[in-house]
Amino acid sequence: MDAISEAVDQAFVAYSSRDSHLAELIALGVSKANRRVGKRIQYAPWEFNDIAGNPLISPILDGIESSKYVVADITYLNPNVVYEIGFAIGKSRKCFLVRHSGTDGDQKVAREVGVFDTLGYDDYVDADALANSLSAYVDPTPLPLTISLDRLAPVYVVEPPAKGGIATLMTSRLKKARYRYRSFNPAEDSRLSATDAMRQVGTSAGVLLSLMDGEHDQNLVHDTRTLFVAGLAHGMGKPTLILAHAHAKIPLDVRDVVKTYARPEDIIQHIAAFSLEITEHLQQGDPTPLKGLTPLQSLQIGDPTAENEMTTLDSYFLATDQFRKALRGEVNIVVGRKGAGKTALFIQIRDKIRSDKRNVVVDLKPEGYQLLKLKEDILAHVTQGASHHLVTAFWEYLILLEITYKLLEKDQNTYKFNHEIRDLYLDLERTYRTEGYAVEGDFSERLLALSQRIASDYGQCYGNDDATKLTTDQVTQLVYSHDVKALRDQVVQYLEHKQGVWVLFDNLDKGWSTQGVDVVDAMVLRCLIDAGRKVERDMRKAGHTVHCIVFIRNDVYEHLMRQSADYGKEMRVTLDWTDADMLRELLRLRLAASLPNGSSELAFDQIWPRLCVSHYKGEETSSYIIERSLMRPRNIIKIFAHAKGFAANLTHAKIEETDLEKGVRAYSQDLLVELDHELTDVFPAAKDLLYQFIDAPARMSKTALESFIRNAEIEDDQIGRVIDFLLYYGILGVAVPNDQVHYIFNVNYDLKVLQIRAARASDEDVYVMNPAFAPALGIHGSD
C-alpha cells in the first residue's frame, strides 16, 4: 500500500481480484479519481483480498480505521470484502458501495442475501464512470448505530438455512446458559436487512455465528450474511463466536478468530467460554447515548419476527378477538398464514397466563426436522392404523413428560420450603428420571432424543419390515419406557396444588413445504390434536383444567381437513387480516410505544404525518403500504422499517417519497425471494418461476399467464396448480367488473371465489400482478 501524506485524508478501497479484467478496471478508475481529487482525498486500493497465505488482515483493518470512509466493490461478493464492509460500518466509517453494471458477478447471491441493496450502491460502466463517482463529493457521515444493550435478550444469532443437530445444539446451549437470544431465521425472513443487522448487533452483548463452507447456494448465502455480521460485531467490539467445522475452508479475514469443532462436545466448550465473555460485557455500563439523533433515527417499532421481540411485544400488542378467545381457552387450534401473527399470539397467551404463578404453562416450539427420525425410520415401515396409534401414543407421552418437566422446573427452588408438595415433588422427580427422558438441554433436544430412542427400539425389535402390524401392547411397550400410568397418577395428584395447565404448540409445521404437506405430516398433526384432547379429557375427569392449543399455517390446516373432514368441527380461530384500519391500529401501537410519553392516546392520523410524508404520487402513504403488504402484519412492519432505514441513513426528518420508494423496492425484493422459495418447495421444477415475470405487463390474459408459466418449463398438467398457488398467496389477483381487482384477502381468503371469477371472465386481461412485486420485477402498468 502506497504511503499517503498525513495531511491528506485517505479512503480505503476494497475489491475482489477474482475477475482480473474487472480488478484492472477498478484500479484504473481509482487512479483517475486520485488525479482528479488532488489533495482533497486519496484513494488507497487494496488488491489482495483473494490471496491466501500471509496474515494480511492487520494492515487491511488498520487501513479501514485510518480512512475517512471506505469504498467497496460488490460486483463479486468476496468473503473478505464482505467482512470488511461490515467492519467499516461497525467502526463508524461510511461505506460507499459500487458495482459494475456490465458484469453479472454475484448479483443472484446478493439478491438472496439482502444486505447490499438495503445499503444502496452506485453502478458504473467503465473506469471513467467509476472515477466520476469517486471524484464527486462523498458524504463521509457514518450510518447511525444503536448502542444501548438489550439486557433481556442480549445475544444475536444468525441461524443456518437448514436446521439440524448442530444448529439445535448452538441455541440450546445458550438457553442452558440462561441467555435469551434474538435471531435471524431464514425460514422466517428470506433476506437480511443491513439496517436490521446493525440494530441487532448494536444492542447485543454477544453474537453467535456459524460458517457452512458448502457449495450449495443457500450455504453461500448464509456465509455471506455471517461474514457481514461478523465484521459489524468486530467493528463494534462485541464478543463474537464464529463456529465452523474442523475441515471447513475459512476466509482469511476471520481465520484467526473462528472456533472449529469436530464433535458436539467442542461446541459445548466454545459456547461455555463465550458465555463468560457475554457476562463480562453485560457488566459494563451502557455507552453514552448518541447525541443529535433525529426522532426517526431514535424510533424503534419492534421486529417483524415475533421471536425477536418477546421482551417488548406486550407494550404494543394488538389484542384481537382471536387473542381473547384463545386466552379464555375456547379454541384448540389457531391457524394463520405466514406473517399473520401466530407466534405473536402464542407469546402473548403464554405470558398472560403464566403471569399468574398458580398456572403451569408448557410452551413447546419443535422444528419439523426433529420428527424426521420418527417419520423416516418408523412410520415408513408400519401400516396406517399402527402409525396413527403409535404417533398418538407418542404425542400423549410427550405432553405428559413435558408437563412433568415444567412442574419440576417451576418448583425446583420452592419445594424444599413447602411441606405440602415436598414429598410429591421428590416422588415425581424420581419417576420422571426413571422414564429416561431427563436429558440436558431444551425441548428440541428432548424431542429429538425421544424420537431417536423410539426409532432405535423399533429397529431392534422389528427391523425394517414394510408391513409390520403392531398391537396395542406392542405400541405401548415401544413408546413408554416404564409404567406411564404411575407417572400420570403422580401428575394428577401434584396438580391439586396448581390452578391450570396450558400446553401450547408452535412451529410444528416449520420446515414443512407450503401446500406440499404429505399424508404422513397430516397424520402427525392429526395425532397431536387427538393426543391433546385425550390429555385434556383425562385431566378434567380428575378435576383439573388443561388446555392444549396448536398453532399452524392455514394451508397445513386445509390439508388436514382434506384428509379428515371431521376436523372442520374443531374449535379454532383464524388469523386472517382483511381490515386495513386494523393494520393501521397495529402500526399505531408500535409507533406510539416508541414516541415520547403521552403519545399512546394519539390517533393514527396525528402520529403518521410526523413520521412519513402524507402522499406518494397522490396516494395516501399508509394505504399505499397496506395495499402492498398482502394484508400481513409482518409485511407492514418490514415496509416501514425499510423506508425508515433509508430515511434515517440520510438524516431525513421524516420518511420522504424517495425513502418510501426505496423501502418498497427493498421489501419487494424480500417478497420475491421468499415466495419464489415457497413455490420451489411445492414445485421443485419451478425454481425461479416468478423471475419469468420480469418486465411483464401488470394485467395478463389466461393465455399470456400460461405462456409465462410454461417458459419456466412447468408441465401443462401442473399449470393449473401453479396458478392456484399464485392466487392463494396474493401474487395474482382477478379483474372483476367496474375495473376492480380482487386478491385472496378481498374474498375472505376463499380461493374458490377467485377460481370461479377467473373462469367466468373473458380471456382479456383477467389476471393482475400484485403491485407489491412491481419494483422487483419491473412490472409495466402497475399502479
Side-chain angles (χ1 to χ4, degrees):
M1 191 179 296
D2 295 334
I4 305 295
S5 170
E6 293 184 2
V8 179
D9 286 327
Q10 173 180 298
F12 180 86
V13 183
Y15 56 94
S16 168
S17 60
R18 189 191 313 175
D19 183 333
S20 59
H21 175 73
L22 182 61
E24 291 173 4
L25 186 153
I26 294 171
L28 179 59
V30 168
S31 176
K32 289 185 175 184
N34 277 335
R35 288 197 294 270
R36 295 181 189 180
V37 297
K39 295 183 178 181
R40 175 161 54 89
I41 194 165
Q42 283 292 297
Y43 291 100
W46 189 260
E47 304 174 11
F48 308 105
N49 297 86
D50 290 328
I51 297 177
N54 295 327
L56 300 175
I57 183 61
S58 293
I60 292 175
L61 299 187
D62 289 345
I64 290 173
E65 290 196 64
S66 62
S67 295
K68 189 173 184 179
Y69 56 86
V70 172
V71 177
D73 181 88
I74 57 169
T75 309
Y76 292 98
L77 294 180
N78 167 261
N80 298 312
V81 172
V82 170
Y83 173 84
E84 289 154 20
I85 292 170
F87 183 82
I89 294 172
K91 279 294 182 183
S92 291
R93 299 293 185 271
K94 175 64 177 285
C95 208
F96 181 68
L97 304 183
V98 295
R99 188 186 183 285
H100 187 241
S101 59
T103 303
D104 285 340
D106 290 329
Q107 192 169 8
K108 181 180 179 182
V109 175
R111 186 173 63 224
E112 298 260 345
V113 170
V115 167
F116 304 101
D117 57 351
T118 57
L119 279 173
Y121 55 85
D122 271 10
D123 282 313
Y124 64 92
V125 295
D126 54 26
D128 287 327
L130 177 60
N132 290 339
S133 292
L134 299 183
S135 56
Y137 175 70
V138 176
D139 184 0
T141 306
L143 300 177
L145 300 174
T146 304
I147 57 174
S148 59
L149 293 180
D150 183 342
R151 297 183 180 276
L152 296 176
V155 183
Y156 180 53
V157 182
V158 176
E159 298 188 35
K163 295 288 265 182
I166 297 301
T168 300
L169 183 60
M170 287 167 55
T171 53
S172 68
R173 296 312 297 184
L174 278 180
K175 295 175 186 175
K176 187 71 176 176
R178 300 188 68 81
Y179 283 125
R180 288 184 176 179
Y181 65 90
R182 295 157 283 113
S183 69
F184 172 80
N185 184 344
E188 293 292 329
D189 291 296
S190 56
R191 306 195 319 144
L192 176 63
S193 158
T195 304
D196 185 58
M198 291 157 56
R199 177 176 63 84
Q200 298 284 12
V201 173
T203 58
S204 297
V207 178
L208 178 57
L209 307 168
S210 61
L211 289 170
M212 303 297 293
D213 183 44
E215 297 298 325
H216 191 278
D217 287 348
Q218 289 305 308
N219 288 351
L220 177 58
V221 168
H222 168 76
D223 286 353
T224 303
R225 292 184 186 126
T226 290
L227 289 165
F228 175 76
V229 172
L232 280 176
H234 289 155
M236 295 185 201
K238 303 288 184 176
T240 306
L241 174 59
I242 310 173
L243 295 169
H245 193 273
H247 300 300
K249 296 177 182 178
I250 301 171
L252 175 65
D253 281 10
V254 295
R255 191 168 297 167
D256 293 338
V257 296
V258 166
K259 302 296 184 183
T260 60
Y261 63 86
R263 308 166 303 152
E265 291 78 10
D266 298 333
I267 294 177
I268 293 173
Q269 291 177 6
H270 292 320
I271 294 182
F274 178 52
S275 299
L276 298 177
E277 296 181 48
I278 297 170
T279 301
E280 184 178 349
H281 196 84
L282 284 171
Q283 290 172 347
Q284 302 174 10
D286 280 340
T288 304
L290 296 175
K291 297 180 180 179
L293 293 180
T294 67
L296 204 59
Q297 289 173 332
S298 304
L299 186 70
Q300 300 292 339
I301 65 162
D303 196 286
T305 304
E307 288 92 341
N308 290 342
E309 49 180 11
M310 289 185 183
T311 60
T312 58
L313 183 61
D314 185 58
S315 62
Y316 44 71
F317 179 74
L318 176 59
T320 59
D321 183 58
Q322 293 95 326
F323 166 72
R324 287 186 284 269
K325 284 183 178 179
L327 194 61
R328 292 194 296 264
E330 296 176 4
V331 303
N332 58 4
I333 302 177
V334 175
V335 299
R337 293 176 173 238
K338 184 176 179 180
K342 296 189 302 299
T343 299
L345 192 68
F346 174 95
I347 292 168
Q348 280 302 102
I349 291 173
R350 179 197 65 186
D351 292 351
K352 290 291 184 186
I353 293 169
R354 73 181 180 188
S355 62
D356 185 338
K357 301 300 182 184
R358 298 170 298 173
N359 287 326
V360 178
V361 180
V362 184
D363 53 320
L364 306 175
K365 297 171 73 69
E367 300 281 358
Y369 81 91
Q370 290 156 353
L371 298 173
L372 285 179
K373 191 74 175 173
L374 192 71
K375 180 177 174 181
E376 294 174 356
D377 293 358
I378 302 178
L379 300 182
H381 304 293
V382 299
T383 62
Q384 183 175 354
S387 295
H388 192 283
H389 190 182
L390 187 148
V391 176
T392 302
F394 169 85
W395 283 125
E396 184 185 354
Y397 184 45
L398 185 79
I399 291 170
L400 185 62
L401 288 169
E402 284 299 316
I403 292 174
T404 306
Y405 176 86
K406 186 60 68 172
L407 289 170
L408 296 174
E409 180 188 56
K410 187 179 181 66
D411 290 342
Q412 62 183 338
N413 296 321
T414 60
Y415 80 93
K416 300 173 186 176
F417 311 104
N418 186 337
H419 70 277
E420 292 183 341
I421 65 169
R422 184 179 184 278
D423 291 342
L424 292 173
Y425 184 96
L426 293 174
D427 289 344
L428 185 62
E429 182 182 40
R430 192 177 304 113
T431 303
Y432 176 72
R433 295 195 179 281
T434 303
E435 289 296 313
Y437 185 62
V439 299
E440 285 195 2
D442 63 357
F443 171 66
S444 299
E445 289 182 286
R446 296 194 297 274
L447 171 58
L448 194 59
L450 181 60
S451 299
Q452 289 174 336
R453 195 268 293 168
I454 294 175
S456 175
D457 290 351
Y458 178 88
Q460 291 179 7
C461 294
Y462 307 107
N464 292 319
D465 185 357
D466 288 340
T468 300
K469 296 182 180 180
L470 301 182
T471 66
T472 301
D473 289 342
Q474 288 173 322
V475 167
T476 301
Q477 183 179 8
L478 182 64
V479 175
Y480 306 137
S481 295
H482 298 87
D483 184 5
V484 71
K485 184 178 183 302
L487 177 63
R488 185 185 295 111
D489 290 344
Q490 286 178 319
V491 169
V492 166
Q493 191 175 2
Y494 201 98
L495 289 178
E496 297 289 343
H497 302 277
K498 301 297 178 184
Q499 178 161 295
V501 178
W502 293 71
V503 182
L504 310 177
F505 269 95
D506 192 20
N507 278 12
L508 182 70
D509 52 19
K510 192 167 290 185
W512 290 0
S513 297
T514 306
Q515 291 194 355
V517 181
D518 61 25
V519 174
V520 177
D521 290 329
M523 184 269 291
V524 169
L525 177 58
R526 187 166 64 249
C527 291
L528 170 59
I529 295 170
D530 288 345
R533 286 189 301 191
K534 187 174 186 305
V535 171
E536 287 179 352
R537 288 195 302 268
D538 290 345
M539 290 297 176
R540 285 173 184 170
K541 286 178 184 177
H544 302 307
T545 301
V546 176
H547 299 284
C548 292
I549 305 178
V550 180
F551 296 72
I552 54 175
R553 293 196 316 248
N554 286 52
D555 57 287
V556 176
Y557 177 75
E558 289 169 10
H559 188 90
L560 178 66
M561 289 239 313
R562 288 194 293 271
Q563 299 296 319
S564 309
D566 61 316
Y567 275 83
K569 302 174 184 176
E570 290 291 333
M571 297 182 295
R572 75 184 192 280
V573 291
T574 303
L575 294 179
D576 283 334
W577 299 74
T578 58
D579 187 346
D581 286 334
M582 286 288 287
L583 289 171
R584 284 191 184 87
E585 176 61 11
L586 179 143
L587 185 55
R588 184 195 72 82
L589 289 171
R590 289 173 175 266
L591 297 173
S594 185
L595 293 173
N597 291 335
S599 300
S600 60
E601 301 303 320
L602 295 178
F604 182 84
D605 291 342
Q606 294 172 292
I607 295 176
W608 188 248
R610 299 183 186 181
L611 303 171
C612 184
V613 63
S614 63
H615 290 77
Y616 175 78
K617 295 184 177 179
E619 185 174 353
E620 197 275 324
T621 46
S622 70
S623 297
Y624 180 83
I625 290 173
I626 289 170
E627 287 178 6
R628 285 154 180 77
S629 70
L630 277 61
M631 299 300 283
R632 301 187 195 181
R634 178 182 297 174
N635 292 348
I636 296 279
I637 299 167
K638 278 187 175 183
I639 297 173
F640 183 85
H642 278 311
K644 177 240 176 189
F646 284 111
N649 291 347
L650 296 171
T651 65
H652 292 163
K654 64 167 65 174
I655 296 172
E656 298 179 0
E657 283 196 10
T658 54
D659 303 318
L660 185 57
E661 188 172 289
K662 292 175 184 176
V664 170
R665 185 181 300 118
Y667 157 75
S668 181
Q669 191 65 56
D670 290 349
L671 199 59
L672 179 63
V673 171
E674 175 185 320
L675 290 180
D676 193 69
H677 285 170
E678 293 192 12
L679 179 58
T680 305
D681 283 343
V682 184
F683 305 100
K687 185 174 175 58
D688 296 335
L689 178 142
L690 293 183
Y691 293 95
Q692 296 292 330
F693 292 95
I694 289 175
D695 298 327
R699 292 174 177 257
M700 289 169 280
S701 65
K702 182 178 180 180
T703 303
L705 175 61
E706 291 178 347
S707 177
F708 279 113
I709 296 173
R710 202 172 281 113
N711 287 340
E713 299 182 357
I714 300 295
E715 298 293 333
D716 283 356
D717 62 346
Q718 294 295 312
I719 288 178
R721 287 187 64 206
V722 172
I723 294 175
D724 285 348
F725 176 95
L726 299 176
L727 291 170
Y728 184 86
Y729 277 90
I731 300 168
L732 289 179
V734 175
V736 296
N738 302 321
D739 202 34
Q740 289 184 319
V741 179
H742 282 180
Y743 295 98
I744 191 76
F745 38 81
N746 299 127
V747 295
N748 207 28
Y749 296 91
D750 189 342
L751 179 60
K752 288 187 181 297
V753 174
L754 296 182
Q755 291 171 327
I756 290 172
R757 282 183 170 156
R760 286 177 178 173
S762 66
D763 197 44
E764 292 295 321
D765 298 340
V766 61
Y767 292 104
V768 183
M769 181 68 72
N770 193 307
F773 297 88
L777 293 174
I779 299 292
H780 300 306
S782 177
D783 294 334

